[in-house]
Amino acid sequence: MNPVPDRTADAFHPVRAELLRAAHADAEALLARTEQETAALLDRARAEARAVLDEAHRQGEADGADAARDLLVRARRKARARTLAARRESYAELRREVTARVRALRRTDGYADLLERLDHRARALLGPDAEVTEHPEGGVVARAPGKGADLSLPALAGRALDRLGGEVRTLWET
């Protein structure tokens, strides 16, 4: 027996071929659109990535500048603190040296005259009835009812330095 040719299959052959061709065309169009969309998406992603990197770079520079500025401020403060500490130490040393030299006046021939002048000054300040005594470190202290005067050598040296005020600063400035 001879198989009977399937005429139905033959009749659908052009339809099937057209459907396959249309499916291939649709698939190619879809693939082309997908490739275009993918390329556009990649371009947008690259542009966004560049923008993010540029912003990160700008922010990094700004943060770096801020950090450098903060570091510079801290360094200046530290240098200023060290300078002030050195000045305080220099001033304290100057005060010690001046006080020591003034105390040394007790061992000079003119000390008795100095005590007499300080006694007169104390009485001029507090009155003739003031009780004037020699200070253990040189000079005098005086008391009168409700008032007193310290004309000791260390006090006189300290007041002399205090009166110099800002002029003392010129000793350690260039």
Side-chain angles (χ1 to χ4, degrees):
M1 198 170 167
N2 262 344
V4 178
D6 187 3
R7 291 188 186 211
T8 313
D10 288 339
F12 285 119
H13 184 63
V15 172
R16 192 178 10 226
E18 181 57 30
L19 286 174
L20 277 174
R21 187 201 60 72
H24 281 327
D26 286 348
E28 286 178 16
L30 180 61
L31 185 58
R33 266 195 325 271
T34 302
E35 286 176 359
Q36 287 175 347
E37 289 174 3
T38 301
L41 184 61
L42 284 173
D43 288 345
R44 283 194 305 271
R46 286 184 186 114
E48 286 178 22
R50 274 191 303 276
V52 167
L53 286 174
D54 288 347
E55 178 57 29
H57 182 72
R58 280 190 296 276
Q59 187 62 46
E61 285 179 346
D63 291 348
D66 289 346
R69 194 171 29 260
D70 291 346
L71 184 61
L72 183 59
V73 165
R74 284 192 303 274
R76 284 181 178 158
R77 284 181 184 154
K78 191 173 187 177
R80 177 75 174 146
R82 286 182 178 172
T83 299
L84 291 175
R87 284 181 181 176
R88 277 191 302 275
E89 181 56 36
S90 295
Y91 185 74
E93 179 60 31
L94 175 65
R95 189 174 276 278
R96 286 188 294 271
E97 182 66 26
V98 167
T99 300
R101 288 186 182 199
V102 168
R103 284 182 187 146
L105 290 175
R106 294 182 302 179
R107 295 184 300 274
T108 66
D109 293 336
Y111 183 62
D113 290 336
L114 176 61
L115 276 180
E116 187 177 324
R117 286 195 315 264
L118 292 174
D119 183 274
H120 285 114
R121 178 70 181 142
R123 292 182 193 287
L125 290 170
L126 302 179
D129 295 332
E131 179 186 325
V132 180
T133 57
E134 187 174 354
H135 190 275
E137 295 185 51
V140 298
V141 291
R143 301 210 191 309
K147 47 190 173 177
D150 185 354
L151 300 175
S152 65
L153 295 181
L156 291 170
R159 286 196 294 271
L161 281 174
D162 291 343
R163 278 193 306 273
L164 288 175
E167 291 179 42
V168 172
R169 201 174 316 138
T170 62
L171 297 174
W172 50 77
E173 288 181 349
T174 57

